[in-house]
Amino acid sequence: MFTLLVRRADESIDLTVIRRGSDGCLASAESRTLEQDELGEAVRQGERDATRWVWDDTARWYPRLLSAGVFVERCVDLRLVHAILRASAFTRGSAIHASPRGPYDTPQAPAVDGSALFVVEPESLPDALGEFLAQRDAIEASPERARLELLATAESTGALIAAEMRHAGIPWSASRHDELLTAALGPRPPAGERPLRLLEALAEIRAALGSPDLNPDSPTDLIRALRAAGLQVSSTRQWELKSLEHPVIEPLLRYKKMQRLLVANGWTWLDAWVRDGRFRPEYVPAAAATGRWGTSGGGALQLPKAVRGAVVADPGHALVVADASQLEPRILTALSGDTAMARAGSGDLYEGIVATGAVATRSEAKVAMLGAMYGATQGDGGRLMPRLTRAFPRAIALVEDAARVGEAGGVVSTLLGRTSPPPGAGSEELPPEMGRPDVDRGMRAWGRFTRNFVVQGTAAEWALCWMGILRRSLAERYGRGPDAPHLVFFLHDEVVVHSPEAVAAEVAGLVESAAAEAGRLLFGAAPVRFPVTVATVQAYSEAK
DNA sequence: CAAGAGGGCGCG
DNA sequence: AAAGCGCGCCCTCTTG
């Protein structure tokens, strides 16, 4: 059932098969030692027996296996599961619950380039067998065992997917990217110089402000120059500048937009991050406390719409781009069992809310829903909340309860048992005396965090299940070959599959049915739909 | 010279 | 339009 892999200091590998004994407890059944170059074949062999591999950190093991052409179907990522179980309200009473920080409470190992020669893999984290058995104890003794099992599996499968997506890479056309940049900024300038369009905007800004040496990248200098020109600004943010009437505003906003594109996703970015037609960001599962993933390198979480035209399928291939429509409100609907909101979500959720008469327009419905999930207190979001509460009392009560728990210093949990950190666990201690305005403000902010945690965190669980199911159905139907359709990008509620054109339509269907199956897996027969918008395109920019 | 804070902005 | 959540990464400016 489980096979533990442990790397020793001399780079040899202990492989330990773990079985359930006659007493029902798990224990190591047999053990052998491998040399580094025997690992691939051993894993290949184990895959034929549906092994679930247990290792300390997927990022330390899987990239090199992938480079050797070895796929892994199932694993347990001890580090990721440890973090869940240690914090989870569902494991109270277990040895792991609230245990002191230890070696498994470390960040994911930085991903090594699997193809690199002479990589010395570090020794595994200590006592992996003991850690694994403690995790099994915590899960099996939990009153919410089924949910924790699902979460642990989904989280570990996510780690496999993260490594596989980095291995595959996002198909990226450097020439198309260069064309986009040239159209927006002017031709690529020599190193250290600004592109033409940026120089033009800069000259206009300096002329309009009568400040020939101004550096608009310095907020301090810019704000001083704007004030000298008679503009009463408190910041240099776009939204504040937009409301002003002055000749400098148009070129300044134009400059800011171009400068952002240049420094964040310009030619330097292209040189640094795109190799052989692929962009390979490092994905970091559970980088956020809510379980959402982060990325490291290249800003893959923030790929601007402006460069998505450079994400182009290989010849004979297509990109199947899918995003879950209105995911977080639908998650809230299912979590709370709010039947009125479920009815409103039979089609477009926001239109459905308008149809109940709670608000007048679709955009009001959207602002009100976001306000409810984020804890808006002012503006349109805050103003519309009471109407939403009247129309959907159960859904709103769920987030209000989560907020009150957070404000009182408590913890909240997602559907599957990921639990919020206690306040102050991260960086600074909260000041001791209650009643101080800054303390109250801090606790209200923490309440907004826990309010959002249950929704965002459960949505992240749904997304993990969606991807895991999709990965399995793709592998079952098309195998793992180099030309089989495969995931290349994931962004909270959106996936991209790179697929041969001939099967792209079929892949789109699998993406949709995986979403429906994820909904059933988490919420059973609850009458909540999880529709996805799927587009089969040549370039990412053509979707949506 | 490096690290960190703060402003700003891209994404969901 | 921000506001109210979650990120990563750029720039400038201050501090050690």
Side-chain angles (χ1 to χ4, degrees), chain A residues 194-217 222 248 251-252 254-256 258-259:
Chain A
R194 286 184 163 101
L196 196 61
R197 291 262 145 68
L198 229 66
L199 285 173
E200 290 165 3
L202 181 60
E204 290 174 55
I205 293 164
R206 287 171 170 169
L209 292 176
S211 178
D213 299 320
L214 175 69
N215 173 14
D217 299 335
L222 181 56
V248 77
L252 180 54
R254 179 154 41 90
Y255 174 90
K256 278 172 160 282
M258 290 191 292
Q259 172 72 5

Side-chain angles (χ1 to χ4, degrees), chain A residues 171 278 312-318 483 498-501 538:
Chain A
R278 293 290 186 270
V312 181
D314 287 351
H317 287 64
D483 212 39
H498 193 213
S499 169
E501 240 160 14
Q538 288 305 304

Side-chain angles (χ1 to χ4, degrees), chain A residues 438-512:
Chain A
D438 57 333
V439 176
D440 288 350
R441 199 159 50 237
M443 293 313 277
R444 280 197 301 275
W446 196 258
R448 290 193 297 273
F449 168 66
T450 53
R451 167 194 295 266
N452 186 247
F453 183 96
V454 292
V455 178
Q456 187 185 115
T458 306
E461 287 164 353
W462 180 90
L464 277 179
C465 292
W466 181 33
M467 268 201 303
I469 292 164
L470 175 60
R471 170 183 189 257
R472 193 186 53 207
S473 56
L474 289 174
E476 281 173 2
R477 184 146 190 88
Y478 308 105
R480 291 293 202 177
D483 212 39
H486 57 276
L487 282 156
V488 292
F489 190 54
F490 169 59
L491 188 59
H492 308 317
D493 62 354
E494 183 172 347
V495 298
V496 180
V497 177
H498 193 213
S499 169
E501 240 160 14
V503 296
E506 201 175 65
V507 168
L510 292 180
V511 172
E512 285 178 322

Side-chain angles (χ1 to χ4, degrees), chain A residues 350-489:
Chain A
Y350 301 132
E351 293 290 4
I353 292 175
V354 173
T356 67
V359 296
T361 65
R362 188 180 187 279
S363 69
E364 276 189 342
K366 186 171 180 174
V367 165
M369 270 311 305
L370 291 176
M373 293 184 301
Y374 294 164
T377 55
Q378 298 172 1
D380 290 346
R383 189 169 52 74
L384 292 166
M385 276 279 287
R387 304 210 229 160
L388 218 52
T389 307
R390 275 197 297 279
F392 309 109
R394 295 189 61 180
I396 302 306
L398 189 140
V399 286
E400 291 289 332
D401 287 350
R404 278 194 289 272
V405 169
E407 283 171 8
V411 299
V412 296
S413 296
T414 60
L415 177 73
L416 298 185
R418 198 185 305 267
T419 297
S420 63
S427 44
E428 82 288 11
E429 301 285 316
L430 286 165
E433 321 94 296
M434 296 297 280
R436 275 171 43 188
D438 57 333
V439 176
D440 288 350
R441 199 159 50 237
M443 293 313 277
R444 280 197 301 275
W446 196 258
R448 290 193 297 273
F449 168 66
T450 53
R451 167 194 295 266
N452 186 247
F453 183 96
V454 292
V455 178
Q456 187 185 115
T458 306
E461 287 164 353
W462 180 90
L464 277 179
C465 292
W466 181 33
M467 268 201 303
I469 292 164
L470 175 60
R471 170 183 189 257
R472 193 186 53 207
S473 56
L474 289 174
E476 281 173 2
R477 184 146 190 88
Y478 308 105
R480 291 293 202 177
D483 212 39
H486 57 276
L487 282 156
V488 292
F489 190 54

